[in-house]
Amino acid sequence: TTMATGNTNTAESTPQRSRPPHLIILKLHESPHKDGNYEKYNMQWILDADHHNEDCMIQNGDMLYIPELASGAGEMEGVRFVGTGSDGFVLLGAGIESPVFPRALAELKSPQDLRQDYEMLLDIVVQQQGFSLVDLFGGKEVVEEFWASPDVERNPKETQGEWHIPLAECTVLPTHE
């Protein structure tokens, strides 16, 4: 399995990283919308893994791409950023039609650091869907405008309960760079 990497940048309130952020393509252990039930989308998603173990393949700050979440509504709906919580890794949304950084992540990094860490990873995600960030934004100038002032979530989503996703039962898919 290959994983794409971004740049290393450590935030004061996050554990020290031993590597740059990675893009990890993941197939979930079960669909979040079984039998037409979409309740799990209103829950906080927790990836159950040993987030205290430095050898864990997933670390705080990584980006997950979960292709099965793509419904056609937008290119980013399958993307989640990884944060840490008390019970495991908290999965934070990344927008629907274009990248939106979780407030918790954006408050810890400058726009330049966000770009250095995540531009290549986001471009790989849209390449998986057949195009580039330039295509998504409609031109190089618009991409530059985005990275000068990246979109940040305004109000974190209210959640109702937790959905625990056992990493050991998920499948890591190859990243085609």
Side-chain angles (χ1 to χ4, degrees):
T1 301
T2 58
M3 288 178 264
T5 61
N7 184 39
T8 65
N9 281 308
T10 329
E12 298 167 358
S13 64
T14 59
Q16 293 294 316
R17 297 188 57 84
S18 58
R19 61 167 175 72
H22 283 184
L23 169 64
I24 299 162
I25 302 177
L26 198 65
K27 179 172 180 8
L28 298 176
H29 70 296
E30 68 179 28
S31 172
H33 44 266
K34 276 178 143 175
D35 303 321
N37 182 340
Y38 291 85
E39 283 181 14
K40 290 181 176 142
Y41 286 95
N42 294 322
M43 297 178 168
Q44 177 62 67
W45 292 13
I46 307 291
L47 188 61
D48 290 331
D50 186 0
H51 63 288
H52 297 293
N53 181 349
E54 289 185 19
D55 294 329
C56 183
M57 68 174 293
I58 295 177
Q59 292 187 12
N60 188 38
D62 283 347
M63 196 170 80
L64 300 182
Y65 176 52
I66 307 167
E68 66 202 270
L69 299 181
S71 70
E75 291 73 21
M76 295 294 121
E77 63 186 339
V79 176
R80 299 292 184 271
F81 289 99
V82 177
T84 47
S86 58
D87 293 342
F89 292 107
V90 177
L91 302 185
L92 306 167
I96 302 292
E97 295 177 357
S98 65
V100 177
F101 288 97
R103 181 166 301 288
L105 179 63
E107 287 176 347
L108 301 173
K109 296 177 179 275
S110 70
Q112 296 82 11
D113 289 341
L114 288 172
R115 183 176 195 168
Q116 195 162 359
D117 283 354
Y118 297 105
E119 182 176 32
M120 181 184 74
L121 305 183
L122 289 166
D123 201 42
I124 291 170
V125 166
V126 294
Q127 286 175 19
Q128 297 280 320
Q129 300 171 60
F131 50 99
S132 70
L133 282 178
V134 172
D135 299 329
L136 176 69
F137 284 108
K140 288 182 182 179
E141 300 80 23
V142 184
V143 171
E144 292 302 319
E145 290 173 18
F146 171 79
W147 287 114
S149 181
D151 292 339
V152 176
E153 72 178 339
R154 291 191 179 104
N155 299 311
K157 182 177 146 183
E158 296 275 333
T159 58
Q160 300 165 353
E162 294 179 345
W163 182 38
H164 286 263
I165 303 165
L167 177 59
E169 294 179 27
C170 296
T171 305
V172 176
L173 303 173
T175 303
H176 305 288
E177 301 176 38

